[in-house]
Amino acid sequence: MSKKLKISLCLLLAICMGALISGCNKPPAPPKNCEAVVEATLYSGTEGCKDFVAICRSLDELEEECLRNGYDFFNESNSQNNCYDSEAGKKIREYNDEYFQSKVFAVCAFFSNGRLGQYRIEEAEVAANKLTLYIRRPKKNDAADVINNVFLIAGVDKSLVSQVTSIEYVLR
């Protein structure tokens, strides 16, 4: 094989490997019709937490829903499940009532097993008075003994959900 051909093949291989590696590290696409406010996977300290999905039209409503379902992101002295100190808790407390003048929070929390990695909000869709959050799950692996709690919040424009009476999530 000629020296030029060897160099060309090596260069082609390097370009292909670079494209492969950069494609793997590409950030997720921004969600459609909403913004990803919180995308958190809580691997421990979620005893007493429940699955739930809700639309919260104020910060007080978010706090009530979270407390009712076992997620204490707001009271440091009362937090038994480390939610207050979690990245999700810190992020949630950055918001104020001003945000809710034009947006609402679509909140989704559920337990999952056998999947390591971050669940991502892909899209919020409103049809027939129902808001559907589409969630991309991480690639499945064989870690069936791993149980985690997924906690997601999407910021959705208030005008999209003015007639919404129910909410659901769909895993993709």
Side-chain angles (χ1 to χ4, degrees), residues 28 38-43 87-88 110 115-121 135-139 148-153:
V38 172
E39 293 174 318
T41 302
L42 310 169
Y43 290 102
E87 288 302 314
F110 58 91
R115 293 183 189 270
L116 295 173
Q118 186 56 58
Y119 287 72
R120 299 277 180 203
I121 300 165
I135 311 298
R136 181 177 49 84
R137 53 176 111 185
K139 292 181 181 178
N148 53 53
N149 183 259
V150 178
F151 191 86
L152 306 164
I153 298 179

Side-chain angles (χ1 to χ4, degrees), residues 48-99:
C49 295
K50 303 174 195 167
D51 292 359
F52 79 101
V53 60
I55 295 174
C56 299
R57 299 177 194 284
S58 69
L59 202 54
D60 287 340
E61 202 173 313
L62 174 67
E63 184 174 358
E64 288 172 20
E65 279 294 331
C66 288
L67 284 173
R68 181 180 14 260
N69 290 288
Y71 300 86
D72 194 352
F73 294 113
F74 297 93
N75 187 347
E76 182 178 21
S77 63
N78 193 30
S79 184
Q80 297 175 6
N81 55 18
N82 296 327
C83 286
Y84 184 87
D85 292 327
S86 70
E87 288 302 314
K90 292 173 187 172
K91 181 70 176 170
I92 290 168
R93 290 190 305 276
E94 290 176 2
Y95 287 85
N96 58 37
D97 289 329
E98 190 174 304
Y99 179 85

Side-chain angles (χ1 to χ4, degrees), residues 11-25:
L11 186 58
L12 182 61
L13 181 62
I15 291 170
C16 289
M17 291 300 290
L20 235 170
I21 291 169
S22 68
C24 293
N25 294 327

